[in-house]
Amino acid sequence: MKGIMVAGSMLVDNICEIGAYPKAGELAGITGFSRAPGGCVPNVAADLKALSPSVGVYAAGRVGRDEAGAFLVDFLSGLGIDVSGVIASDAPTSFTEVMSVKGGQRTFFTYAGASSHFGAGDIDFDKTDVEMLHLGYLLLLDKIDAGDGEKILREAKKRGIRTSVDMVTSADKSCEKAVLCLKYVDNLIINETEAARLAGTEEGDIVKAAYRLKELGVSERVIIHMPEAAVCVSDSGCAKVASLDLPAGYIKGTTGAGDAFCAGALIGIYEGLDDRAMLAFASCAAAAALGAADATSGLGNRACADIMAEKFQRRKLCL
């Protein structure tokens, strides 16, 4: 079955609820604890399967030979996602300790682990029969950032597989390698902070950033999202969509909203939606994800995303 492969970061989120973030030397009590799949592969793959169960979804990444790795593989396979491309390695499964203040922001401490060793040799393209490959995250995975990301994307393009990329917001890594990848990227899907760094533009001016990134080599679409709106620049022009105006108290957590937007965009591209319809669908998927504290459980099927569009009005477009 042809479909979409999601490759790259796989980790476990250990989510600790705290009353307040402590100062240095102070103690804060943990009032609740939960564990959830995290990273590009579990989040985007699960969201793709939720939004379009009939689409074949394939996972490619690295986990450890440990309980956390088994947890991730069981989670994905339980959703009907092909996990034959997930490699068990000697390094421990990557994880993030999430310190979550109820009603406030989250602080993240991440351990690179097995995912940092994921590279070009881990995808067997001779056994890969997919139409699209989504790679994430640039600026997070060591081998990907050292040149393997470019190798993976180049090989996929050579074989006629449409490519897409997402990245993380990283203040301590150069974007130079990521820029070199753009000539092998069909669809770039990132947020406004990442776009500004990659394009060298002022943060918030996502239209200018999108045009600049298209000039840098992205062949089909540059898709940039932020809390208020999203934009897509392609050969068809510039499409813009405002975010849904969600009521007070609706948002339970922001983790995974960007991945849900990405999954919605990928489904829209896969199904051939026009740019504006694709953005509208992706924004509904992101809004649905905001209704849950973890990264994936807020997202229902496509009908649920469509209901979001009927239930809530959109904000005034700010672009």
Side-chain angles (χ1 to χ4, degrees):
M1 178 193 297
K2 288 186 179 292
I4 303 171
M5 174 178 283
V6 187
S9 170
M10 299 184 67
L11 55 86
V12 170
D13 284 332
N14 297 316
I15 304 169
C16 300
E17 295 180 5
I18 57 178
Y21 196 81
K23 297 178 182 178
E26 293 183 346
L27 177 70
I30 296 173
T31 57
F33 174 81
S34 61
R35 182 174 67 170
C40 178
V41 175
N43 291 354
V44 176
D47 290 345
L48 287 171
K49 205 63 179 174
L51 290 169
S52 188
S54 64
V55 172
V57 181
Y58 303 81
R62 279 183 173 260
V63 298
R65 294 186 179 92
D66 49 28
E67 192 271 339
F71 169 74
L72 291 176
V73 171
D74 289 347
F75 168 77
L76 291 167
S77 61
L79 296 174
I81 295 163
D82 188 310
V83 296
S84 59
V86 177
I87 297 170
S89 64
D90 292 333
T93 299
S94 308
F95 66 88
T96 296
E97 297 294 328
V98 184
M99 302 299 151
S100 178
V101 179
K102 188 174 182 179
Q105 293 295 314
R106 294 180 168 196
T107 304
F108 304 87
F109 302 86
T110 193
Y111 173 71
S115 273
S116 65
H117 301 290
F118 178 76
D122 293 332
I123 299 178
D124 187 348
F125 279 104
D126 289 332
K127 296 181 179 179
T128 300
D129 185 24
V130 295
E131 295 175 66
M132 294 172 61
L133 170 83
H134 180 69
L135 180 64
Y137 304 108
L138 301 186
L139 302 190
L140 178 67
L141 305 179
D142 292 345
K143 288 186 71 175
I144 294 298
D145 293 336
D148 276 27
E150 187 176 352
K151 292 177 183 177
I152 290 170
L153 295 167
R154 181 173 63 241
E155 183 62 24
K157 289 276 286 182
K158 179 181 175 182
R159 293 170 179 262
I161 300 170
R162 297 169 77 186
T163 60
S164 57
V165 158
D166 196 358
M167 58 191 291
V168 297
T169 304
S170 175
D172 59 354
K173 278 194 175 182
S174 168
C175 291
E176 181 180 352
K177 291 290 187 180
V179 171
L180 292 176
C181 289
L182 295 183
K183 60 181 175 290
Y184 303 115
V185 174
D186 292 312
N187 294 286
L188 179 66
I189 309 170
I190 54 178
N191 70 29
E192 78 279 20
T193 302
E194 296 151 3
R197 287 202 66 217
L198 199 57
T201 58
E202 185 177 349
E203 186 170 336
D205 191 348
I206 62 175
V207 173
K208 182 177 181 180
Y211 275 108
R212 174 58 181 153
L213 291 168
K214 189 76 167 63
E215 291 171 356
L216 287 172
V218 178
S219 60
E220 292 186 19
R221 298 169 192 83
V222 175
I223 302 165
I224 304 174
H225 57 90
M226 61 183 188
E228 300 81 11
V231 65
C232 174
V233 167
S234 70
D235 291 341
S236 298
C238 180
K240 307 172 186 177
V241 168
S243 301
L244 295 179
D245 190 7
L246 302 173
Y250 174 87
I251 297 175
K252 302 298 188 297
T254 57
T255 300
D259 289 324
F261 181 96
C262 181
L266 291 173
I267 290 295
I269 293 166
Y270 188 82
E271 295 183 354
L273 298 183
D274 66 52
D275 291 345
R276 192 186 185 287
M278 175 272 295
L279 289 179
F281 180 59
S283 69
C284 288
L290 292 170
D294 64 20
T296 59
S297 63
L299 209 63
N301 58 24
R302 178 158 191 160
C304 293
D306 291 340
I307 289 170
M308 295 289 292
E310 297 174 2
K311 186 175 181 180
F312 301 113
Q313 298 294 317
R314 293 195 177 272
R315 302 181 184 193
K316 182 179 179 181
L317 190 62
C318 59
L319 301 176

PDB file of all heavy atoms in Angstrom, residues 147-180:
ATOM      1  N   GLY A 147      24.420  16.205   7.771  1.00  0.00           N
ATOM      2  CA  GLY A 147      24.441  15.928   6.339  1.00  0.00           C
ATOM      3  C   GLY A 147      23.550  14.787   5.897  1.00  0.00           C
ATOM      4  O   GLY A 147      23.208  14.671   4.713  1.00  0.00           O
ATOM      5  N   ASP A 148      23.135  13.929   6.840  1.00  0.00           N
ATOM      6  CA  ASP A 148      22.305  12.794   6.462  1.00  0.00           C
ATOM      7  C   ASP A 148      20.889  13.217   6.057  1.00  0.00           C
ATOM      8  O   ASP A 148      20.238  12.516   5.267  1.00  0.00           O
ATOM      9  CB  ASP A 148      22.235  11.781   7.611  1.00  0.00           C
ATOM     10  CG  ASP A 148      23.437  10.841   7.612  1.00  0.00           C
ATOM     11  OD1 ASP A 148      24.500  11.262   7.113  1.00  0.00           O
ATOM     12  OD2 ASP A 148      23.320   9.708   8.094  1.00  0.00           O
ATOM     13  N   GLY A 149      20.433  14.326   6.578  1.00  0.00           N
ATOM     14  CA  GLY A 149      19.127  14.824   6.169  1.00  0.00           C
ATOM     15  C   GLY A 149      19.099  15.127   4.682  1.00  0.00           C
ATOM     16  O   GLY A 149      18.164  14.750   3.956  1.00  0.00           O
ATOM     17  N   GLU A 150      20.140  15.800   4.212  1.00  0.00           N
ATOM     18  CA  GLU A 150      20.264  16.117   2.791  1.00  0.00           C
ATOM     19  C   GLU A 150      20.339  14.840   1.958  1.00  0.00           C
ATOM     20  O   GLU A 150      19.700  14.730   0.891  1.00  0.00           O
ATOM     21  CB  GLU A 150      21.511  16.976   2.566  1.00  0.00           C
ATOM     22  CG  GLU A 150      21.650  17.503   1.153  1.00  0.00           C
ATOM     23  CD  GLU A 150      22.853  18.423   1.006  1.00  0.00           C
ATOM     24  OE1 GLU A 150      23.478  18.768   2.022  1.00  0.00           O
ATOM     25  OE2 GLU A 150      23.159  18.793  -0.141  1.00  0.00           O
ATOM     26  N   LYS A 151      21.075  13.833   2.445  1.00  0.00           N
ATOM     27  CA  LYS A 151      21.199  12.565   1.718  1.00  0.00           C
ATOM     28  C   LYS A 151      19.851  11.859   1.602  1.00  0.00           C
ATOM     29  O   LYS A 151      19.493  11.330   0.540  1.00  0.00           O
ATOM     30  CB  LYS A 151      22.201  11.649   2.426  1.00  0.00           C
ATOM     31  CG  LYS A 151      23.638  12.137   2.385  1.00  0.00           C
ATOM     32  CD  LYS A 151      24.542  11.201   3.181  1.00  0.00           C
ATOM     33  CE  LYS A 151      25.970  11.706   3.215  1.00  0.00           C
ATOM     34  NZ  LYS A 151      26.848  10.828   4.054  1.00  0.00           N
ATOM     35  N   ILE A 152      19.093  11.828   2.697  1.00  0.00           N
ATOM     36  CA  ILE A 152      17.786  11.167   2.698  1.00  0.00           C
ATOM     37  C   ILE A 152      16.845  11.844   1.709  1.00  0.00           C
ATOM     38  O   ILE A 152      16.177  11.191   0.900  1.00  0.00           O
ATOM     39  CB  ILE A 152      17.173  11.177   4.118  1.00  0.00           C
ATOM     40  CG1 ILE A 152      17.951  10.237   5.037  1.00  0.00           C
ATOM     41  CG2 ILE A 152      15.696  10.780   4.079  1.00  0.00           C
ATOM     42  CD1 ILE A 152      17.576  10.359   6.506  1.00  0.00           C
ATOM     43  N   LEU A 153      16.779  13.162   1.779  1.00  0.00           N
ATOM     44  CA  LEU A 153      15.865  13.909   0.912  1.00  0.00           C
ATOM     45  C   LEU A 153      16.268  13.794  -0.558  1.00  0.00           C
ATOM     46  O   LEU A 153      15.406  13.645  -1.437  1.00  0.00           O
ATOM     47  CB  LEU A 153      15.828  15.371   1.354  1.00  0.00           C
ATOM     48  CG  LEU A 153      15.252  15.623   2.753  1.00  0.00           C
ATOM     49  CD1 LEU A 153      15.565  17.038   3.209  1.00  0.00           C
ATOM     50  CD2 LEU A 153      13.749  15.368   2.780  1.00  0.00           C
ATOM     51  N   ARG A 154      17.565  13.838  -0.827  1.00  0.00           N
ATOM     52  CA  ARG A 154      18.050  13.727  -2.208  1.00  0.00           C
ATOM     53  C   ARG A 154      17.701  12.362  -2.791  1.00  0.00           C
ATOM     54  O   ARG A 154      17.248  12.254  -3.937  1.00  0.00           O
ATOM     55  CB  ARG A 154      19.556  13.961  -2.257  1.00  0.00           C
ATOM     56  CG  ARG A 154      20.119  13.894  -3.678  1.00  0.00           C
ATOM     57  CD  ARG A 154      21.582  14.290  -3.726  1.00  0.00           C
ATOM     58  NE  ARG A 154      22.433  13.397  -2.968  1.00  0.00           N
ATOM     59  CZ  ARG A 154      23.178  13.753  -1.929  1.00  0.00           C
ATOM     60  NH1 ARG A 154      23.183  15.009  -1.510  1.00  0.00           N
ATOM     61  NH2 ARG A 154      23.921  12.875  -1.306  1.00  0.00           N
ATOM     62  N   GLU A 155      17.889  11.312  -1.998  1.00  0.00           N
ATOM     63  CA  GLU A 155      17.596   9.961  -2.480  1.00  0.00           C
ATOM     64  C   GLU A 155      16.095   9.777  -2.703  1.00  0.00           C
ATOM     65  O   GLU A 155      15.685   9.144  -3.688  1.00  0.00           O
ATOM     66  CB  GLU A 155      18.102   8.918  -1.473  1.00  0.00           C
ATOM     67  CG  GLU A 155      17.920   7.478  -1.910  1.00  0.00           C
ATOM     68  CD  GLU A 155      18.686   7.117  -3.175  1.00  0.00           C
ATOM     69  OE1 GLU A 155      19.695   7.792  -3.490  1.00  0.00           O
ATOM     70  OE2 GLU A 155      18.276   6.152  -3.855  1.00  0.00           O
ATOM     71  N   ALA A 156      15.289  10.327  -1.813  1.00  0.00           N
ATOM     72  CA  ALA A 156      13.839  10.235  -1.986  1.00  0.00           C
ATOM     73  C   ALA A 156      13.405  10.926  -3.273  1.00  0.00           C
ATOM     74  O   ALA A 156      12.615  10.382  -4.059  1.00  0.00           O
ATOM     75  CB  ALA A 156      13.129  10.842  -0.785  1.00  0.00           C
ATOM     76  N   LYS A 157      13.916  12.125  -3.495  1.00  0.00           N
ATOM     77  CA  LYS A 157      13.571  12.870  -4.709  1.00  0.00           C
ATOM     78  C   LYS A 157      14.004  12.100  -5.957  1.00  0.00           C
ATOM     79  O   LYS A 157      13.282  12.058  -6.965  1.00  0.00           O
ATOM     80  CB  LYS A 157      14.232  14.243  -4.683  1.00  0.00           C
ATOM     81  CG  LYS A 157      13.642  15.209  -3.666  1.00  0.00           C
ATOM     82  CD  LYS A 157      12.421  15.912  -4.213  1.00  0.00           C
ATOM     83  CE  LYS A 157      12.799  16.959  -5.237  1.00  0.00           C
ATOM     84  NZ  LYS A 157      11.604  17.678  -5.730  1.00  0.00           N
ATOM     85  N   LYS A 158      15.172  11.506  -5.896  1.00  0.00           N
ATOM     86  CA  LYS A 158      15.696  10.732  -7.014  1.00  0.00           C
ATOM     87  C   LYS A 158      14.746   9.605  -7.385  1.00  0.00           C
ATOM     88  O   LYS A 158      14.608   9.235  -8.567  1.00  0.00           O
ATOM     89  CB  LYS A 158      17.075  10.174  -6.636  1.00  0.00           C
ATOM     90  CG  LYS A 158      17.731   9.317  -7.699  1.00  0.00           C
ATOM     91  CD  LYS A 158      19.080   8.803  -7.185  1.00  0.00           C
ATOM     92  CE  LYS A 158      19.708   7.836  -8.180  1.00  0.00           C
ATOM     93  NZ  LYS A 158      21.005   7.303  -7.659  1.00  0.00           N
ATOM     94  N   ARG A 159      14.063   9.047  -6.384  1.00  0.00           N
ATOM     95  CA  ARG A 159      13.158   7.924  -6.597  1.00  0.00           C
ATOM     96  C   ARG A 159      11.710   8.366  -6.846  1.00  0.00           C
ATOM     97  O   ARG A 159      10.809   7.529  -6.896  1.00  0.00           O
ATOM     98  CB  ARG A 159      13.228   6.980  -5.394  1.00  0.00           C
ATOM     99  CG  ARG A 159      14.579   6.280  -5.261  1.00  0.00           C
ATOM    100  CD  ARG A 159      14.704   5.559  -3.933  1.00  0.00           C
ATOM    101  NE  ARG A 159      15.989   4.879  -3.824  1.00  0.00           N
ATOM    102  CZ  ARG A 159      16.199   3.582  -4.071  1.00  0.00           C
ATOM    103  NH1 ARG A 159      15.183   2.822  -4.457  1.00  0.00           N
ATOM    104  NH2 ARG A 159      17.392   3.051  -3.933  1.00  0.00           N
ATOM    105  N   GLY A 160      11.490   9.669  -6.990  1.00  0.00           N
ATOM    106  CA  GLY A 160      10.161  10.163  -7.283  1.00  0.00           C
ATOM    107  C   GLY A 160       9.242  10.269  -6.085  1.00  0.00           C
ATOM    108  O   GLY A 160       8.022  10.383  -6.238  1.00  0.00           O
ATOM    109  N   ILE A 161       9.803  10.246  -4.879  1.00  0.00           N
ATOM    110  CA  ILE A 161       9.013  10.380  -3.654  1.00  0.00           C
ATOM    111  C   ILE A 161       8.941  11.859  -3.275  1.00  0.00           C
ATOM    112  O   ILE A 161       9.982  12.524  -3.185  1.00  0.00           O
ATOM    113  CB  ILE A 161       9.649   9.570  -2.500  1.00  0.00           C
ATOM    114  CG1 ILE A 161       9.709   8.083  -2.872  1.00  0.00           C
ATOM    115  CG2 ILE A 161       8.869   9.772  -1.204  1.00  0.00           C
ATOM    116  CD1 ILE A 161      10.538   7.248  -1.900  1.00  0.00           C
ATOM    117  N   ARG A 162       7.753  12.373  -3.079  1.00  0.00           N
ATOM    118  CA  ARG A 162       7.605  13.782  -2.678  1.00  0.00           C
ATOM    119  C   ARG A 162       8.079  13.939  -1.229  1.00  0.00           C
ATOM    120  O   ARG A 162       7.758  13.121  -0.359  1.00  0.00           O
ATOM    121  CB  ARG A 162       6.151  14.224  -2.797  1.00  0.00           C
ATOM    122  CG  ARG A 162       5.627  14.168  -4.213  1.00  0.00           C
ATOM    123  CD  ARG A 162       4.135  14.358  -4.252  1.00  0.00           C
ATOM    124  NE  ARG A 162       3.748  15.750  -4.090  1.00  0.00           N
ATOM    125  CZ  ARG A 162       2.475  16.139  -3.984  1.00  0.00           C
ATOM    126  NH1 ARG A 162       1.494  15.258  -3.979  1.00  0.00           N
ATOM    127  NH2 ARG A 162       2.194  17.423  -3.868  1.00  0.00           N
ATOM    128  N   THR A 163       8.822  14.997  -0.973  1.00  0.00           N
ATOM    129  CA  THR A 163       9.434  15.183   0.336  1.00  0.00           C
ATOM    130  C   THR A 163       8.844  16.374   1.079  1.00  0.00           C
ATOM    131  O   THR A 163       8.432  17.363   0.477  1.00  0.00           O
ATOM    132  CB  THR A 163      10.956  15.402   0.204  1.00  0.00           C
ATOM    133  OG1 THR A 163      11.185  16.576  -0.588  1.00  0.00           O
ATOM    134  CG2 THR A 163      11.617  14.212  -0.459  1.00  0.00           C
ATOM    135  N   SER A 164       8.823  16.253   2.402  1.00  0.00           N
ATOM    136  CA  SER A 164       8.447  17.383   3.256  1.00  0.00           C
ATOM    137  C   SER A 164       9.310  17.352   4.500  1.00  0.00           C
ATOM    138  O   SER A 164       9.845  16.306   4.886  1.00  0.00           O
ATOM    139  CB  SER A 164       6.958  17.329   3.629  1.00  0.00           C
ATOM    140  OG  SER A 164       6.636  16.116   4.278  1.00  0.00           O
ATOM    141  N   VAL A 165       9.441  18.511   5.130  1.00  0.00           N
ATOM    142  CA  VAL A 165      10.352  18.674   6.264  1.00  0.00           C
ATOM    143  C   VAL A 165       9.716  19.560   7.321  1.00  0.00           C
ATOM    144  O   VAL A 165       8.978  20.497   7.017  1.00  0.00           O
ATOM    145  CB  VAL A 165      11.697  19.287   5.786  1.00  0.00           C
ATOM    146  CG1 VAL A 165      12.442  19.967   6.908  1.00  0.00           C
ATOM    147  CG2 VAL A 165      12.574  18.222   5.153  1.00  0.00           C
ATOM    148  N   ASP A 166      10.017  19.239   8.570  1.00  0.00           N
ATOM    149  CA  ASP A 166       9.700  20.105   9.699  1.00  0.00           C
ATOM    150  C   ASP A 166      10.975  20.271  10.513  1.00  0.00           C
ATOM    151  O   ASP A 166      11.926  19.495  10.362  1.00  0.00           O
ATOM    152  CB  ASP A 166       8.587  19.478  10.549  1.00  0.00           C
ATOM    153  CG  ASP A 166       7.933  20.454  11.517  1.00  0.00           C
ATOM    154  OD1 ASP A 166       8.363  21.632  11.562  1.00  0.00           O
ATOM    155  OD2 ASP A 166       7.011  20.052  12.219  1.00  0.00           O
ATOM    156  N   MET A 167      11.020  21.284  11.348  1.00  0.00           N
ATOM    157  CA  MET A 167      12.209  21.522  12.158  1.00  0.00           C
ATOM    158  C   MET A 167      11.800  22.005  13.542  1.00  0.00           C
ATOM    159  O   MET A 167      10.613  22.238  13.796  1.00  0.00           O
ATOM    160  CB  MET A 167      13.137  22.532  11.475  1.00  0.00           C
ATOM    161  CG  MET A 167      12.516  23.869  11.185  1.00  0.00           C
ATOM    162  SD  MET A 167      13.540  24.905  10.101  1.00  0.00           S
ATOM    163  CE  MET A 167      14.930  25.274  11.165  1.00  0.00           C
ATOM    164  N   VAL A 168      12.761  22.112  14.441  1.00  0.00           N
ATOM    165  CA  VAL A 168      12.488  22.614  15.782  1.00  0.00           C
ATOM    166  C   VAL A 168      13.086  24.003  15.941  1.00  0.00           C
ATOM    167  O   VAL A 168      13.963  24.409  15.185  1.00  0.00           O
ATOM    168  CB  VAL A 168      13.054  21.684  16.875  1.00  0.00           C
ATOM    169  CG1 VAL A 168      12.393  20.330  16.824  1.00  0.00           C
ATOM    170  CG2 VAL A 168      14.570  21.560  16.767  1.00  0.00           C
ATOM    171  N   THR A 169      12.598  24.713  16.936  1.00  0.00           N
ATOM    172  CA  THR A 169      13.137  26.024  17.262  1.00  0.00           C
ATOM    173  C   THR A 169      14.365  25.826  18.134  1.00  0.00           C
ATOM    174  O   THR A 169      14.264  25.377  19.270  1.00  0.00           O
ATOM    175  CB  THR A 169      12.090  26.871  18.003  1.00  0.00           C
ATOM    176  OG1 THR A 169      10.910  26.955  17.199  1.00  0.00           O
ATOM    177  CG2 THR A 169      12.622  28.260  18.293  1.00  0.00           C
ATOM    178  N   SER A 170      15.529  26.110  17.599  1.00  0.00           N
ATOM    179  CA  SER A 170      16.778  25.916  18.322  1.00  0.00           C
ATOM    180  C   SER A 170      17.622  27.179  18.221  1.00  0.00           C
ATOM    181  O   SER A 170      17.950  27.619  17.117  1.00  0.00           O
ATOM    182  CB  SER A 170      17.556  24.722  17.751  1.00  0.00           C
ATOM    183  OG  SER A 170      18.813  24.596  18.378  1.00  0.00           O
ATOM    184  N   ALA A 171      17.950  27.738  19.387  1.00  0.00           N
ATOM    185  CA  ALA A 171      18.730  28.975  19.398  1.00  0.00           C
ATOM    186  C   ALA A 171      20.226  28.720  19.300  1.00  0.00           C
ATOM    187  O   ALA A 171      20.996  29.635  19.008  1.00  0.00           O
ATOM    188  CB  ALA A 171      18.427  29.755  20.679  1.00  0.00           C
ATOM    189  N   ASP A 172      20.648  27.471  19.542  1.00  0.00           N
ATOM    190  CA  ASP A 172      22.092  27.211  19.619  1.00  0.00           C
ATOM    191  C   ASP A 172      22.631  26.405  18.447  1.00  0.00           C
ATOM    192  O   ASP A 172      23.756  25.925  18.488  1.00  0.00           O
ATOM    193  CB  ASP A 172      22.421  26.507  20.936  1.00  0.00           C
ATOM    194  CG  ASP A 172      21.694  25.181  21.097  1.00  0.00           C
ATOM    195  OD1 ASP A 172      20.850  24.873  20.237  1.00  0.00           O
ATOM    196  OD2 ASP A 172      21.970  24.471  22.075  1.00  0.00           O
ATOM    197  N   LYS A 173      21.833  26.244  17.386  1.00  0.00           N
ATOM    198  CA  LYS A 173      22.315  25.531  16.210  1.00  0.00           C
ATOM    199  C   LYS A 173      22.182  26.408  14.981  1.00  0.00           C
ATOM    200  O   LYS A 173      21.200  27.123  14.807  1.00  0.00           O
ATOM    201  CB  LYS A 173      21.530  24.235  15.998  1.00  0.00           C
ATOM    202  CG  LYS A 173      22.020  23.078  16.856  1.00  0.00           C
ATOM    203  CD  LYS A 173      21.434  21.765  16.356  1.00  0.00           C
ATOM    204  CE  LYS A 173      21.994  20.587  17.112  1.00  0.00           C
ATOM    205  NZ  LYS A 173      21.465  19.303  16.585  1.00  0.00           N
ATOM    206  N   SER A 174      23.185  26.334  14.111  1.00  0.00           N
ATOM    207  CA  SER A 174      23.157  27.080  12.866  1.00  0.00           C
ATOM    208  C   SER A 174      22.151  26.460  11.900  1.00  0.00           C
ATOM    209  O   SER A 174      21.959  25.241  11.868  1.00  0.00           O
ATOM    210  CB  SER A 174      24.549  27.077  12.228  1.00  0.00           C
ATOM    211  OG  SER A 174      24.502  27.550  10.905  1.00  0.00           O
ATOM    212  N   CYS A 175      21.519  27.303  11.103  1.00  0.00           N
ATOM    213  CA  CYS A 175      20.555  26.839  10.096  1.00  0.00           C
ATOM    214  C   CYS A 175      21.219  26.496   8.767  1.00  0.00           C
ATOM    215  O   CYS A 175      20.517  26.155   7.805  1.00  0.00           O
ATOM    216  CB  CYS A 175      19.499  27.913   9.861  1.00  0.00           C
ATOM    217  SG  CYS A 175      18.370  28.174  11.244  1.00  0.00           S
ATOM    218  N   GLU A 176      22.536  26.583   8.701  1.00  0.00           N
ATOM    219  CA  GLU A 176      23.236  26.430   7.425  1.00  0.00           C
ATOM    220  C   GLU A 176      22.915  25.101   6.761  1.00  0.00           C
ATOM    221  O   GLU A 176      22.618  25.045   5.563  1.00  0.00           O
ATOM    222  CB  GLU A 176      24.745  26.556   7.649  1.00  0.00           C
ATOM    223  CG  GLU A 176      25.564  26.438   6.362  1.00  0.00           C
ATOM    224  CD  GLU A 176      27.062  26.560   6.622  1.00  0.00           C
ATOM    225  OE1 GLU A 176      27.452  26.886   7.762  1.00  0.00           O
ATOM    226  OE2 GLU A 176      27.836  26.327   5.676  1.00  0.00           O
ATOM    227  N   LYS A 177      22.983  23.988   7.509  1.00  0.00           N
ATOM    228  CA  LYS A 177      22.713  22.674   6.939  1.00  0.00           C
ATOM    229  C   LYS A 177      21.254  22.551   6.522  1.00  0.00           C
ATOM    230  O   LYS A 177      20.933  21.917   5.506  1.00  0.00           O
ATOM    231  CB  LYS A 177      23.070  21.581   7.941  1.00  0.00           C
ATOM    232  CG  LYS A 177      24.564  21.433   8.212  1.00  0.00           C
ATOM    233  CD  LYS A 177      25.299  20.850   7.009  1.00  0.00           C
ATOM    234  CE  LYS A 177      26.752  20.557   7.338  1.00  0.00           C
ATOM    235  NZ  LYS A 177      27.494  19.995   6.180  1.00  0.00           N
ATOM    236  N   ALA A 178      20.359  23.137   7.304  1.00  0.00           N
ATOM    237  CA  ALA A 178      18.940  23.082   6.961  1.00  0.00           C
ATOM    238  C   ALA A 178      18.669  23.803   5.644  1.00  0.00           C
ATOM    239  O   ALA A 178      17.880  23.342   4.814  1.00  0.00           O
ATOM    240  CB  ALA A 178      18.101  23.681   8.087  1.00  0.00           C
ATOM    241  N   VAL A 179      19.323  24.933   5.446  1.00  0.00           N
ATOM    242  CA  VAL A 179      19.151  25.680   4.191  1.00  0.00           C
ATOM    243  C   VAL A 179      19.618  24.846   3.007  1.00  0.00           C
ATOM    244  O   VAL A 179      18.981  24.853   1.938  1.00  0.00           O
ATOM    245  CB  VAL A 179      19.907  27.020   4.257  1.00  0.00           C
ATOM    246  CG1 VAL A 179      19.921  27.696   2.886  1.00  0.00           C
ATOM    247  CG2 VAL A 179      19.277  27.940   5.291  1.00  0.00           C
ATOM    248  N   LEU A 180      20.696  24.089   3.183  1.00  0.00           N
ATOM    249  CA  LEU A 180      21.214  23.253   2.099  1.00  0.00           C
ATOM    250  C   LEU A 180      20.232  22.155   1.707  1.00  0.00           C
ATOM    251  O   LEU A 180      20.248  21.679   0.568  1.00  0.00           O
ATOM    252  CB  LEU A 180      22.552  22.628   2.511  1.00  0.00           C
ATOM    253  CG  LEU A 180      23.737  23.584   2.679  1.00  0.00           C
ATOM    254  CD1 LEU A 180      24.958  22.836   3.185  1.00  0.00           C
ATOM    255  CD2 LEU A 180      24.050  24.291   1.368  1.00  0.00           C
TER     256      LEU A 180
END
